[in-house]
Amino acid sequence: MSTEKKADFSDVSAKVTSTEQIVEKADFSDVTARVESTEEIVGQQTYTIEKGDTLSKIAKEHLGSANAWKQIFEANRDTIDDPDRVFPGQVIKLPPKPADA
């Protein structure tokens, strides 16, 4: 049997302190957002589709070229799902007439 005294660690305590700064998280609770267009709506016209109308027919009559149906379709993506299916009574936006038309 050994008579050596064992080390007594009963009074030892440890504490770890970080050197990293405590940074408050940003508070975005009062932040609001609003988007406004700076684009002016100059002379924007609307057209009410009548029986027998097609986008090509409307484009030819109002924009000077039947091929401008694509511009009408793009300007009305929010109301026209299929360029081949327009209905009497639908109100569409007409894009500005091209300068060369």
Side-chain angles (χ1 to χ4, degrees), residues 11-43:
D11 285 339
V12 174
S13 64
K15 180 178 177 187
V16 177
T17 308
S18 175
T19 58
E20 182 179 359
Q21 289 184 345
I22 297 173
V23 179
E24 294 286 325
K25 292 200 187 256
D27 179 6
F28 293 107
S29 61
D30 286 335
V31 175
T32 58
R34 195 165 121 190
V35 177
E36 292 181 24
S37 175
T38 57
E39 179 182 4
E40 288 185 40
I41 299 174
V42 178

Side-chain angles (χ1 to χ4, degrees), residues 27-87:
D27 179 6
F28 293 107
S29 61
D30 286 335
V31 175
T32 58
R34 195 165 121 190
V35 177
E36 292 181 24
S37 175
T38 57
E39 179 182 4
E40 288 185 40
I41 299 174
V42 178
Q44 180 172 335
Q45 296 180 323
T46 59
Y47 177 79
T48 303
I49 294 177
E50 297 174 4
K51 185 174 179 160
D53 277 345
T54 64
L55 292 186
S56 295
K57 179 180 172 188
I58 297 166
K60 183 151 181 62
E61 289 175 9
H62 294 273
L63 303 179
S65 169
N67 290 330
W69 71 266
K70 294 173 192 161
Q71 284 83 12
I72 295 175
F73 179 58
E74 288 300 322
N76 292 280
R77 285 284 186 142
D78 55 336
T79 54
I80 301 174
D81 294 325
D82 181 344
D84 295 323
R85 303 190 78 184
V86 292
F87 305 98

